Amino acid sequence: MGEGVRVEQESKVRVETEADIVLARQQGRAIARDLGFTLGNATLIATAISELARNIVQYATRGEVILKRIENGSQKGLVVIARDEGPGINDVRRAMEDGFSTSGRLGLGLPGVRRLMDEFNIHSEVGKGTTVTASMWKS
Amino acid sequence: MAVPILKQGQTLIASIQAALTDTDLLELRDALLEQVGRYRSRGVIVDVTALDVMDSFSTRTLRDVAHMTRLRGAQTIIVGIQPEVAFAMAQFGLTLEGVPTKLDLEEGLDYLAGTAKPGSDG
Ligand SMILES: Nc1ncnc2c1ncn2[C@@H]1O[C@H](COP(=O)(O)OP(=O)(O)OP(=O)(O)O)[C@@H](O)[C@H]1O
Ligand SMILES: [Mg+2]
């Protein structure tokens, strides 16, 4: 997010169980629709949240997904922040590659989220945790 | 069991009714695999009309269902992928790799009826 981005409202979903993954993505879709995103774009956002929340449950045990409405001049958008204090990621560059997985999965989650959203940032420190920030602007 | 499985002749029909957790999806996979053997089914239709998202987990699980049931002699078809879900899968880069997809349940049943006929090209 650049300069002059105003944060409007926020909602937070605790993520610890599989049911929380579903809850977080449903909440994301509802907020996106409320903001006037098309059903297609709201589904992109919900899919991204599903991936990020699942990574939290799987690799960090628990964390949270924060959904914030953002505004930049006349543009409105939604930012998804997925945050945990889990083990962190050793090699973030590799984790962002299609097909890289330490758990024998598809390894498509993180690179997929980057493709789904307009802006994507990941910050991870081994032993401290991981924060992924991804936003989408209303076209 | 979160997803009811209907038996219609040699076909099993699983109609997903609402958003599913990962465990629900794995249970569906295992139930279908078990019932294909028990009922000697030749076809499986998974209706995903009510699924809110197709992410890496659900895509992988449905691919596994198709692969595992094929090894047991039954063909799996996915029907009812909604337009916004198709849009998101394409943007994401997720594919169902060789698993046949049809618009809806009716098309899926027609397709299976066609492939069951001797001499059809399937
Ligand atoms: N929140 C996290 N904490 C610690 N490690 C993580 C976290 N998120 C991702 N990772 C690491 O990054 C790798 C890549 O993540 P990504 O979501 O792309 O793939 P995956 O979870 O392995 O498979 P998929 O998402 O396709 O099921 C993971 O295998 C894991 O090692
Ligand atoms: Mg993942």
Side-chain angles (χ1 to χ4, degrees), chain A residues 11-39:
Chain A
S11 93
K12 195 183 285 187
V13 184
R14 295 271 320 143
V15 175
E16 192 167 356
T17 67
E18 280 188 356
D20 296 335
I21 301 174
V22 176
L23 199 76
R25 73 184 186 221
Q26 287 179 337
Q27 183 139 357
R29 176 203 297 266
I31 291 174
R33 289 295 276 158
D34 201 45
L35 264 170
F37 278 99
T38 61
L39 186 55

Short mmCIF file of all heavy atoms in Angstrom, two decimals, chain A residues 11-39:
data_model
loop_
_atom_site.label_atom_id
_atom_site.label_comp_id
_atom_site.label_asym_id
_atom_site.label_seq_id
_atom_site.Cartn_x
_atom_site.Cartn_y
_atom_site.Cartn_z
N SER A 11 -12.01 -6.00 10.51
CA SER A 11 -12.59 -7.12 11.23
C SER A 11 -11.53 -8.20 11.34
O SER A 11 -10.69 -8.35 10.47
CB SER A 11 -13.87 -7.60 10.54
OG SER A 11 -13.59 -8.62 9.65
N LYS A 12 -11.60 -8.93 12.44
CA LYS A 12 -10.54 -9.87 12.75
C LYS A 12 -11.14 -11.25 12.96
O LYS A 12 -12.15 -11.40 13.64
CB LYS A 12 -9.85 -9.40 14.05
CG LYS A 12 -8.52 -10.06 14.33
CD LYS A 12 -7.94 -9.60 15.65
CE LYS A 12 -7.37 -8.18 15.60
NZ LYS A 12 -6.66 -7.82 16.84
N VAL A 13 -10.55 -12.25 12.37
CA VAL A 13 -10.99 -13.63 12.58
C VAL A 13 -9.84 -14.42 13.18
O VAL A 13 -8.76 -14.50 12.59
CB VAL A 13 -11.43 -14.29 11.24
CG1 VAL A 13 -11.98 -15.69 11.51
CG2 VAL A 13 -12.46 -13.44 10.51
N ARG A 14 -10.08 -14.99 14.34
CA ARG A 14 -9.09 -15.88 14.94
C ARG A 14 -9.05 -17.16 14.11
O ARG A 14 -10.09 -17.71 13.76
CB ARG A 14 -9.48 -16.26 16.39
CG ARG A 14 -9.50 -15.11 17.36
CD ARG A 14 -8.16 -14.86 18.03
NE ARG A 14 -7.43 -16.07 18.40
CZ ARG A 14 -6.10 -16.16 18.30
NH1 ARG A 14 -5.40 -15.18 17.80
NH2 ARG A 14 -5.50 -17.28 18.67
N VAL A 15 -7.86 -17.63 13.79
CA VAL A 15 -7.76 -18.82 12.96
C VAL A 15 -6.98 -19.90 13.70
O VAL A 15 -5.81 -19.73 14.00
CB VAL A 15 -7.06 -18.50 11.62
CG1 VAL A 15 -6.86 -19.76 10.81
CG2 VAL A 15 -7.88 -17.50 10.83
N GLU A 16 -7.71 -20.97 14.01
CA GLU A 16 -7.07 -22.06 14.74
C GLU A 16 -7.58 -23.43 14.27
O GLU A 16 -6.84 -24.39 14.25
CB GLU A 16 -7.31 -21.89 16.25
CG GLU A 16 -6.46 -22.81 17.08
CD GLU A 16 -6.44 -22.45 18.56
OE1 GLU A 16 -7.05 -21.42 18.94
OE2 GLU A 16 -5.82 -23.20 19.33
N THR A 17 -8.85 -23.47 13.90
CA THR A 17 -9.43 -24.75 13.47
C THR A 17 -9.79 -24.69 11.98
O THR A 17 -9.79 -23.62 11.37
CB THR A 17 -10.72 -25.05 14.24
OG1 THR A 17 -11.71 -24.07 13.85
CG2 THR A 17 -10.50 -24.96 15.74
N GLU A 18 -10.10 -25.87 11.44
CA GLU A 18 -10.54 -25.94 10.04
C GLU A 18 -11.80 -25.13 9.80
O GLU A 18 -11.97 -24.54 8.74
CB GLU A 18 -10.84 -27.39 9.69
CG GLU A 18 -9.62 -28.19 9.38
CD GLU A 18 -10.01 -29.54 8.85
OE1 GLU A 18 -11.21 -29.86 8.78
OE2 GLU A 18 -9.09 -30.27 8.47
N ALA A 19 -12.68 -25.12 10.80
CA ALA A 19 -13.92 -24.35 10.65
C ALA A 19 -13.62 -22.85 10.54
O ALA A 19 -14.31 -22.11 9.86
CB ALA A 19 -14.86 -24.62 11.82
N ASP A 20 -12.54 -22.42 11.20
CA ASP A 20 -12.15 -21.00 11.12
C ASP A 20 -11.72 -20.62 9.70
O ASP A 20 -11.88 -19.47 9.28
CB ASP A 20 -10.98 -20.70 12.08
CG ASP A 20 -11.36 -20.90 13.54
OD1 ASP A 20 -12.56 -20.80 13.86
OD2 ASP A 20 -10.44 -21.15 14.35
N ILE A 21 -11.14 -21.59 8.98
CA ILE A 21 -10.73 -21.32 7.59
C ILE A 21 -11.97 -20.95 6.77
O ILE A 21 -11.97 -19.97 6.02
CB ILE A 21 -10.03 -22.56 6.97
CG1 ILE A 21 -8.80 -22.96 7.78
CG2 ILE A 21 -9.67 -22.30 5.51
CD1 ILE A 21 -8.13 -24.28 7.32
N VAL A 22 -13.02 -21.75 6.95
CA VAL A 22 -14.27 -21.51 6.21
C VAL A 22 -14.88 -20.17 6.65
O VAL A 22 -15.30 -19.36 5.82
CB VAL A 22 -15.28 -22.66 6.43
CG1 VAL A 22 -16.60 -22.37 5.75
CG2 VAL A 22 -14.69 -23.98 5.93
N LEU A 23 -14.87 -19.94 7.95
CA LEU A 23 -15.44 -18.70 8.50
C LEU A 23 -14.71 -17.47 7.95
O LEU A 23 -15.33 -16.49 7.53
CB LEU A 23 -15.31 -18.74 10.02
CG LEU A 23 -16.20 -17.80 10.80
CD1 LEU A 23 -17.62 -18.36 10.82
CD2 LEU A 23 -15.68 -17.62 12.23
N ALA A 24 -13.38 -17.53 7.96
CA ALA A 24 -12.58 -16.39 7.51
C ALA A 24 -12.85 -16.07 6.05
O ALA A 24 -13.03 -14.91 5.66
CB ALA A 24 -11.09 -16.67 7.72
N ARG A 25 -12.93 -17.11 5.21
CA ARG A 25 -13.13 -16.82 3.79
C ARG A 25 -14.55 -16.34 3.51
O ARG A 25 -14.78 -15.51 2.63
CB ARG A 25 -12.74 -18.02 2.92
CG ARG A 25 -13.69 -19.19 2.95
CD ARG A 25 -13.14 -20.34 2.14
NE ARG A 25 -14.10 -21.42 2.03
CZ ARG A 25 -13.78 -22.71 2.13
NH1 ARG A 25 -12.54 -23.08 2.33
NH2 ARG A 25 -14.71 -23.64 2.00
N GLN A 26 -15.51 -16.86 4.30
CA GLN A 26 -16.89 -16.40 4.11
C GLN A 26 -17.05 -14.94 4.54
O GLN A 26 -17.75 -14.17 3.90
CB GLN A 26 -17.86 -17.31 4.87
CG GLN A 26 -18.01 -18.66 4.17
CD GLN A 26 -18.95 -19.61 4.89
OE1 GLN A 26 -19.18 -19.48 6.09
NE2 GLN A 26 -19.48 -20.58 4.17
N GLN A 27 -16.37 -14.60 5.62
CA GLN A 27 -16.40 -13.22 6.07
C GLN A 27 -15.75 -12.29 5.04
O GLN A 27 -16.24 -11.21 4.76
CB GLN A 27 -15.66 -13.11 7.41
CG GLN A 27 -15.72 -11.71 7.98
CD GLN A 27 -15.95 -11.74 9.48
OE1 GLN A 27 -16.12 -12.81 10.08
NE2 GLN A 27 -15.96 -10.57 10.08
N GLY A 28 -14.63 -12.75 4.48
CA GLY A 28 -13.94 -11.97 3.46
C GLY A 28 -14.82 -11.74 2.25
O GLY A 28 -14.89 -10.64 1.71
N ARG A 29 -15.51 -12.79 1.83
CA ARG A 29 -16.40 -12.64 0.68
C ARG A 29 -17.53 -11.65 0.98
O ARG A 29 -17.84 -10.79 0.16
CB ARG A 29 -17.00 -13.98 0.28
CG ARG A 29 -18.02 -13.86 -0.86
CD ARG A 29 -18.99 -15.01 -0.86
NE ARG A 29 -18.26 -16.24 -1.09
CZ ARG A 29 -18.12 -16.79 -2.30
NH1 ARG A 29 -18.68 -16.24 -3.34
NH2 ARG A 29 -17.43 -17.88 -2.45
N ALA A 30 -18.09 -11.77 2.18
CA ALA A 30 -19.22 -10.89 2.55
C ALA A 30 -18.77 -9.42 2.58
O ALA A 30 -19.46 -8.54 2.05
CB ALA A 30 -19.78 -11.31 3.90
N ILE A 31 -17.61 -9.16 3.16
CA ILE A 31 -17.11 -7.78 3.23
C ILE A 31 -16.80 -7.26 1.83
O ILE A 31 -17.12 -6.13 1.48
CB ILE A 31 -15.86 -7.70 4.15
CG1 ILE A 31 -16.28 -7.95 5.61
CG2 ILE A 31 -15.17 -6.35 4.03
CD1 ILE A 31 -15.12 -8.04 6.58
N ALA A 32 -16.21 -8.12 1.00
CA ALA A 32 -15.89 -7.71 -0.37
C ALA A 32 -17.15 -7.37 -1.15
O ALA A 32 -17.21 -6.36 -1.86
CB ALA A 32 -15.11 -8.83 -1.07
N ARG A 33 -18.18 -8.19 -0.99
CA ARG A 33 -19.45 -7.92 -1.69
C ARG A 33 -20.06 -6.63 -1.19
O ARG A 33 -20.58 -5.83 -1.98
CB ARG A 33 -20.43 -9.09 -1.47
CG ARG A 33 -20.05 -10.34 -2.21
CD ARG A 33 -20.10 -10.16 -3.71
NE ARG A 33 -21.43 -10.34 -4.26
CZ ARG A 33 -21.83 -9.85 -5.43
NH1 ARG A 33 -21.02 -9.13 -6.16
NH2 ARG A 33 -23.05 -10.07 -5.87
N ASP A 34 -19.97 -6.43 0.14
CA ASP A 34 -20.49 -5.23 0.77
C ASP A 34 -19.80 -3.98 0.22
O ASP A 34 -20.40 -2.92 0.09
CB ASP A 34 -20.25 -5.37 2.28
CG ASP A 34 -21.17 -4.48 3.08
OD1 ASP A 34 -22.37 -4.47 2.74
OD2 ASP A 34 -20.68 -3.81 4.00
N LEU A 35 -18.52 -4.13 -0.07
CA LEU A 35 -17.74 -3.02 -0.60
C LEU A 35 -18.02 -2.77 -2.08
O LEU A 35 -17.54 -1.81 -2.65
CB LEU A 35 -16.25 -3.33 -0.45
CG LEU A 35 -15.54 -2.77 0.77
CD1 LEU A 35 -14.14 -3.38 0.87
CD2 LEU A 35 -15.42 -1.26 0.65
N GLY A 36 -18.77 -3.67 -2.70
CA GLY A 36 -19.12 -3.49 -4.10
C GLY A 36 -18.24 -4.26 -5.07
O GLY A 36 -18.30 -4.05 -6.28
N PHE A 37 -17.41 -5.16 -4.55
CA PHE A 37 -16.64 -6.02 -5.45
C PHE A 37 -17.59 -6.94 -6.20
O PHE A 37 -18.61 -7.37 -5.65
CB PHE A 37 -15.65 -6.88 -4.65
CG PHE A 37 -14.37 -6.18 -4.29
CD1 PHE A 37 -14.20 -5.64 -3.02
CD2 PHE A 37 -13.33 -6.06 -5.21
CE1 PHE A 37 -13.01 -5.00 -2.68
CE2 PHE A 37 -12.15 -5.42 -4.87
CZ PHE A 37 -11.99 -4.89 -3.61
N THR A 38 -17.25 -7.28 -7.45
CA THR A 38 -18.05 -8.24 -8.21
C THR A 38 -17.96 -9.60 -7.50
O THR A 38 -17.04 -9.85 -6.73
CB THR A 38 -17.50 -8.43 -9.63
OG1 THR A 38 -16.15 -8.93 -9.54
CG2 THR A 38 -17.51 -7.12 -10.40
N LEU A 39 -18.92 -10.48 -7.83
CA LEU A 39 -18.90 -11.82 -7.26
C LEU A 39 -17.60 -12.54 -7.63
O LEU A 39 -17.01 -13.25 -6.80
CB LEU A 39 -20.11 -12.62 -7.76
CG LEU A 39 -20.34 -14.00 -7.15
CD1 LEU A 39 -20.42 -13.92 -5.64
CD2 LEU A 39 -21.60 -14.63 -7.72
#
